[in-house]
Amino acid sequence: MAMVDPDVSKVSILGSESIILGFHITEYIIRDVLTSIPASNYVLITDTNLAPLYLSNYTECFKRVSRELAEKKGSVKEPRLFTRVLPPGELTKSRKTKDEIEDWLLSNAVTRDTCFLAMGGGVIGDLIGFVAATFMRGVPFVQIPTTLLAMVDSSIGGKTAIDTPAGKNLIGAFWQPQRIFMDLVFLQSLPEREFANGMAEVVKTAAIWNESDFIKLETGVDAVREAVLNNNPTVPLQGAKLDTRTEAQSLLLDVILASARVKAEVVTNDEREGGLRGLLNFGHSIGHGIEALVSPLMLHGECVSIGIMKEAELSRNLGHLSQVAVGRLARCLSSYGLPITLDEKKVKDRIGNMHCHVDDIMEVMKVDKKNQGDKKRIVLLSAIGNTLEKRASVVSDIDIYKILAPEQLVLPVTESATGPRKEVSLTTPGSKSISNRALLIAALGQGTVRLTNLLHSDDTQYMLAALQSLNAADFDWEDNGDTLVVHGGAGRLSVPEKEVYIGNAGTASRFLTTVLTMIPKAEEGNASAAILTGNARMKQRPIAPLLTALTASGANIKSTEKEGFLPIAVTPTGGFKGGRIELSASISSQYVSSILLCAPYAVEPVELVLVGDQVISQPYIDMTIAMMESFGVSVERLPNNTYKIQQTSYKNPEHYIVESDASSATYPLAIAAITGTTCTVTSIGSNSLQGDATFAINVLRPMGCVVKQTETSTTVTGPPIGQLKPLPTIDMETMTDAFLTASVLAAVTSNPQGENITRITGIANQRVKECNRIAAMVHELTKFGVTASELPDGIQIHGKPIKDLKPPKEGVHCYDDHRIAMSFSVLSSVVPSGTIIQEKKCVEKTWPTWWDDLEGKMGVRINGVDLGKKKGQVSNVLGRASNSANKKMDHQKSIVIIGMRGVGKTTLGQHAAETLGFNFVDVDQHFEKVQNITIYDFIHTWGWEKFRVKEAETLQELLTDPKYHRNYIISCGGGIVETADSRAVLKDHCRNGGKVLHLVRDMDQVSSYLSRDQTRPMYGEDMIGVWKRRRSWYREACNYEFVAYAESLVEGGWVSPGDWMAIKKDLQRFLFFVTGRQTNHVDLTPGRIGIPTTFVALTMKDLGAHQSRLAEICEGADAVELRVDLLQQPEDQQNDLKSYIEYVGEQLAILRRSVPLPVVFTVRSKGQAGTFSDNDEKGMFDLLRWGQRWGCEYVDVEMCWSNAAIEECIANKGESKILGSWHDVRRQTPWGSTALEARYDTADKYADIIKLVGVATSMLDNIALEEYRSDKVNGKPMIAINMGAAGQLSRVLNEVLTPTTHPALPHAAAPGQLSLAEINTTRHLLGLLPLKKFWLIGTPIQHSMSPTLHNTGFNALGLPHKYGLLECHMVEYAEDALLKDPEFGGASITIPHKVNIMKYLDRVHDSAKLIGAVNTVFVRYEEAEDGTRQRRLIGENTDYLGIMRRMQPLMLDPTKPPEQGLVLGSGGTARAAIYALHSMGIKKIYLWNRTTSKAYELQEVFKSLCGVNVLESLDAAKIAPGVIVSTVPADSGLELPEHVYGGVKGIICDMAYKPRRTKLLLQAVRKGWSCVEGIEVLVEQGLAQFEIWTGKRAPAQCIEAEVLRKYEL
Ligand SMILES: NC(=O)c1ccc[n+]([C@@H]2O[C@H](COP(=O)([O-])OP(=O)(O)OC[C@H]3O[C@@H](n4cnc5c(N)ncnc54)[C@H](O)[C@@H]3O)[C@@H](O)[C@H]2O)c1
Ligand SMILES: [Zn+2]
């Protein structure tokens, strides 16, 4: 690369120019360091974020330059360069890292002759500075800051430090760097959030030091961003030399330079923390208090930003700073992406629902190093660029508390020592409408005008900025921002350089639209069109009528996105034409005002004609005309809503006072009324056109006040306290906003003569304001003990003596409505003992200084209150744990099935109906029945369109018909989603707690199925095209989706019977889940058998390829996790018939087909150790929504996303449980930290199961985790583990749903993940999983398969248990093993002890009782009445389970078993067989035995359960069994008479298992029957035993393989 000698800027500090700034200065730095700080060793330290980007460049440059310099000097010895890369983040600033660096250097024999280079952010700078300060008693070091924060703050001043567990920066030294090099090129790779973090310090410095620097920041937002983010790659080393430096780069350098200079100057004058240096602490006193609570979820700069705002508000409250300055600070900080309050969404998203209690913040502030004794020192701003004192000022705790508190306590004036302030005079905030008009008129006017009482809000700010960028006028501020001086441009306008952005400022957007058409022409070199745009909300607000009118009168306006909406581009065509303009004014009066305001400057006189039905908000049009007149322009009113304006221009008066907002003015006047004092509002009077300006005359006067009004002022004197009179009826239609003020006064009226009730009417519109204000007033007033009620269009209030009013304990809820807060402030000024007003911030919308003014100007005392929870006060009240957002579904509501033709809506729909016990109705058939015409004929006669309309109606009718709206499956025609109306019906059904189920199948398969059938024409459209059109409609209309997965098709496009059976089974599982009948959730009861519970995390890219191994992989797991983010749709499967979602849905179907386990649906984002994008919140939650639609038992929701998204997600969860997860990949939330607690709280609030994952680097991290876990034992089920090899112990100790891997998986899902077998083995070694002994008790048992079966299973799962033979003729010989051995885990019981064993058992299950035999004994511990743990032996019979579990899957439809069943034999096994048939739902059970009397005995036994029909002879029996179970020994050689097999193809099971295929089975197979071998039942009943003993699903595949292998031997 060409060597350049860069242009650098230097700043002097402590007498030397050692701060050097520039672009691309790597070589400059190396050269300077090597020549001015000669040493034998240079140690460059940086972090892993920076090293890959910059390190090699530095080392390469170091080698080159040091060689060159050595050659020049003729020296042979080049200095050594050591480099070391540390992990990033605050945790690196530790003693441990310092030790490691020192040991490393000492072991390399590095001497005193050393210079350190700290290349990184503040962390590296602070740490390496401290290392340098103490290494060999101090060696030189150089700062190369790479973050903005480090450049403007931490690298300058010589403060170095490390953190200890007791706190940050507690150990350190003052150690000045020799040089500080700021290469601004580093900022290009800095994450945006880190950049903003540094900007907080930059804004802070400008705010205390220099207003012109501040203005640069205010206006330079875009340029600064551009300089950082946009680098022109075609210009090499751009900015290194002045000639390639862009304007934006210069501005960035300027800004940083200014900030660095201030810090350097302060440090120079005041090296060790004196008064001056304290100024730099602006925003930090409170900022630190907050940071201590929310770090590291929020960054230092983010907390400082909030601190700046709070400290500025404090200054304002104390009367030192204007609201204008506070507003400027707020806007400036937010424009750089910084938060300005703790209530912001951005903040909430970071800290969850953690509450920063004022007491906690104050507690931290108490230990601030800068405090003086118990007095706090805070920097008080007096103006932008100036502070009250040249040091921090002393401030009382009460004042700080008041500012920080989220709630306000308003104290009654009657209880103040001095009583109420008798006379008050004030100017209330300007009206927004008038401010906007005044700004525009003054800018267009001739001459200079001083505007006062402007409202400072976002709206007016945007208007002002727009006028500036249009070059319409010149503006100055006077009186510290209280006066705006406008030097009018007399109508001059030019095309702005950039687009004009007006946020969501409605008025500004309408007014400016016409203004843009006034631009006469585009100047040379400038853009040719003026662009007006706003935020997303603004882009949805219509301006079409205005655009139409202007275009018709010759303007060239184009909507660049959506017709009739912003953004618009206006190309100058020689100015605003004027002439006759027709305009529709039925939507907004602002269109009219817009044209009127510009009309004087039109080329021809304007005749504005308002057309259409009605003109809305006439008073606002009148206001516009009146204001135009005050600026010398008259508007002629003609009949028929026509206005005429001659060409002229506005004449600016010297001074113009913006009239107050009349609604706001009612509050101070009402305080005078209620407290019996006098108040004058100086900026509103009888001249006003605002309806609310008549409040004093029309409301207060009749209530008994003395009212004096001049043209521009209003004075009210209230009657003595308690003597306001009620107003029997008052129509407030012309001043609706003031009804809240009137209502609180009505609450304290008295009327000794009669009725004491005030009725306010004409205010119905107040139900749809910020909140339903009428309901809100009734509710809040009632809390004070006032009787109030709603009227059809108003409110009725009973007056009550003031002394009887009770302030509500929890305070007044404001519904985020400024008017409620202010009106209740009025009431609170007299209510005894003080009233709390919640959410005090809401007043900022129209009166940001309300609380200051209430106290300072109106004399009402206030105090701060924080009703939130303090740290450590986390309550365990039940309510907190409830997921209230989960709407209850109504599982009885009819289920609507939608989907393409051919996917099986009818077949599967009918199956669904049977499964759920619902009825079935087909919408098309219903339609034909009701309309009495076939659909074909209907369409033929009326056409498709009409059919679709009727179809939607039919569906709607069905869903509301009392007959059909519950317990029906309603199957729709494929085209139901074609119309928006039908889709709306479906969506409504979902919204109301119903289910719309979308059935899908592979479209390739459907199409080959349909094309087989020529009798079903496609109505001339190809099916694929139809699917493409409809697929998104189906998906938006459904809240569930079932994927009917068939592996392949058989001849002729049919799904094979096997697949159909599997699909029906899948559907049953799905339906049982979504209707809550059988949710398949893991039993997480602590202490249950089978702890720990686990889920296996699948990591393959595509399940299809691994289908055969899925069952094995899931062995022993309680659930299975589908890591959706790891799936990769194989390329050959990517086509437009299979979208990504369809692919994922199919993967899930494959998984469910192979494994019965509940599924955890997980999409892991990058920042949480997965691969899904961190920036795609919508994509993430769309996917999670699919997990819910597909009925996944668990959906993993990462707690790092916004609360809003999480809340929406849980609202849809249905029966799915939410697993709320947090992975601390970046090691920011150590166990036990407040930061982690915030995550826990969020998960606790939203999730059913909490999952917290940390990272362990040493065993200590596991110990910290276990302490944490033990704190949470009584909370919700929690998965808490540490990643990394060092964290494996935590995976072993975790007992709830531990994520596991399996040797057959491609790789583990997370570092350190173990298999189930590994976990169990380790738990055993640790003593957490004691060995248990299991026995087979009976004789003869030498050839039993049971030991193989169980020991294979134990081995596979890593369980330490042993299964052995306990052969005995007398059951008593087994007594010791059963009763005395503490290691006894359970037993299989066989002949001859199946009955005898019962005497040892505490309990025998019903099944075993009926069968009259116990084949399984197991142990449970139960709590006895006295609280002790009792060991209980329980008996069960699993033989019948073995029969059932093998026979049912062979049935076409297990929910529809055959009518008849036959059992052969009458021994113990026959009993199990009868029980099994009964349990399978077989109605008619026949029993045959050679000795008939024995059969009758059994019949008697089962009498209580079911009827058994004894067959005397098989030959004569007229039966047609679908199921046969034989329990007669194989050696009997039994065969059945042929007719018993009948016409049906049934299922037969022979319990004899030597040989595998008995004579009987062979005969049945010949008859086409399916058969179950005895060995299968044997295995199956063993598996059932295994599951009872271990609480785990048995690893069936490997057990069966091993048993069969043994059997064949
Ligand atoms: N000494 C002082 O006077 C002083 C003043 C203020 C703050 N501090 C200290 O500074 C520390 C915070 O400094 P910080 O905000 O710079 O944090 P930091 O050093 O942790 O850096 C922030 C992150 O940005 C990364 N990063 C840094 N430069 C980058 C670049 N150019 N490109 C991409 N990534 C980059 C880092 O790896 C890190 O992940 C705190 O420890 C604080 O106590 C010290
Ligand atoms: Zn700071």
Side-chain angles (χ1 to χ4, degrees), residues 212-470:
S212 61
D213 286 347
F214 190 86
I215 293 172
K216 264 186 214 155
L217 295 173
E218 277 179 314
T219 52
V221 179
D222 297 320
V224 167
R225 271 171 186 273
E226 184 198 317
V228 175
L229 301 173
N230 299 341
N231 167 42
N232 186 347
T234 61
V235 182
L237 305 184
Q238 185 169 39
K241 304 286 287 178
L242 287 176
D243 54 6
T244 57
R245 198 167 291 173
T246 64
E247 222 176 287
Q249 280 182 318
S250 303
L251 179 75
L252 176 68
L253 185 85
D254 243 27
V255 162
I256 295 178
L257 199 58
S259 227
R261 258 198 202 117
V262 174
K263 176 117 196 215
E265 187 178 332
V266 171
V267 168
T268 305
N269 292 331
D270 194 5
E271 193 184 349
R272 302 236 166 173
E273 291 280 343
L276 199 51
R277 193 159 191 175
L279 282 189
L280 288 174
N281 215 34
F282 176 51
H284 281 63
S285 308
I286 294 177
H288 273 149
I290 295 171
E291 190 180 0
L293 304 178
V294 299
S295 164
L297 299 177
M298 287 188 35
L299 303 176
H300 173 72
E302 292 165 346
C303 299
V304 167
S305 178
I306 297 174
I308 288 175
M309 288 317 301
K310 289 289 170 207
E311 293 180 16
E313 283 168 21
L314 179 61
S315 189
R316 183 191 68 197
N317 176 265
L318 296 172
H320 307 306
L321 189 66
S322 75
Q323 168 57 20
V324 177
V326 175
R328 283 172 74 190
L329 279 169
R331 268 187 295 277
C332 186
L333 290 165
S334 350
S335 68
Y336 287 98
L338 287 160
I340 50 174
T341 75
L342 278 168
D343 312 314
E344 251 164 79
K345 182 174 176 300
K346 228 183 338 208
V347 174
K348 290 270 167 257
D349 287 348
R350 299 233 155 91
I351 66 173
N353 58 348
M354 174 172 167
H355 177 68
C356 296
H357 196 281
V358 182
D359 287 350
D360 294 330
I361 301 178
M362 298 284 288
E363 192 64 31
V364 181
M365 291 174 66
K366 227 160 64 185
V367 295
D368 192 320
K369 295 190 247 12
K370 285 126 200 151
N371 287 346
Q372 263 188 4
D374 56 356
K375 293 254 168 39
K376 300 209 170 47
R377 289 191 161 272
I378 290 190
V379 176
L380 294 178
L381 222 54
S382 59
I384 298 291
N386 242 320
T387 51
L388 186 68
E389 301 177 73
K390 280 284 156 241
R391 57 189 169 131
S393 309
V394 175
V395 184
S396 83
D397 277 4
I398 291 191
D399 289 329
I400 302 175
Y401 204 103
K402 203 177 347 185
I403 294 304
L404 289 177
E407 276 95 41
Q408 207 71 271
L409 175 68
V410 180
L411 297 163
V413 293
T414 42
E415 290 173 22
S416 117
T418 51
R421 194 170 293 174
K422 291 276 176 276
E423 285 233 29
V424 168
S425 167
L426 79 171
T427 309
T428 56
S431 138
K432 183 162 95 182
S433 319
I434 298 179
S435 295
N436 266 316
R437 286 168 173 76
L439 278 173
L440 177 56
I441 295 178
L444 295 178
Q446 274 175 354
T448 296
V449 54
R450 288 182 156 65
L451 297 178
T452 48
N453 204 32
L454 268 175
L455 177 74
H456 294 279
S457 68
D458 280 356
D459 292 49
T460 50
Q461 209 61 34
Y462 281 125
M463 180 63 124
L464 186 57
L467 292 169
Q468 273 169 322
S469 69
L470 285 160

Side-chain angles (χ1 to χ4, degrees), residues 46-51 53-54 86-93 119-127 143-163 168-169 173-174 183-191 194-195 197-198 201 204 263 273 277 284 288 291 299-301 1226 1228:
T46 187
D47 75 25
T48 54
N49 284 335
L50 290 151
L53 300 173
Y54 305 105
L86 302 176
E90 188 71 29
L91 290 180
T92 294
K93 252 176 79 174
M119 183 170 102
V123 163
I124 295 288
D126 277 17
L127 168 75
Q143 291 271 24
I144 309 176
T146 63
T147 63
L148 180 58
L149 179 116
M151 291 181 188
V152 298
D153 192 0
S154 63
S155 67
I156 310 172
K159 282 209 239 168
T160 74
I162 55 171
D163 305 334
K168 280 186 59 170
N169 298 330
F174 276 94
D183 190 340
L184 305 197
V185 170
F186 277 119
L187 299 178
Q188 269 169 19
S189 59
L190 192 65
E194 295 291 349
F195 185 76
N197 185 41
E201 306 286 354
K204 168 204 79 179
K263 176 117 196 215
E273 291 280 343
R277 193 159 191 175
H284 281 63
H288 273 149
E291 190 180 0
L299 303 176
H300 173 72
R1226 299 177 59 204
Q1228 294 184 325

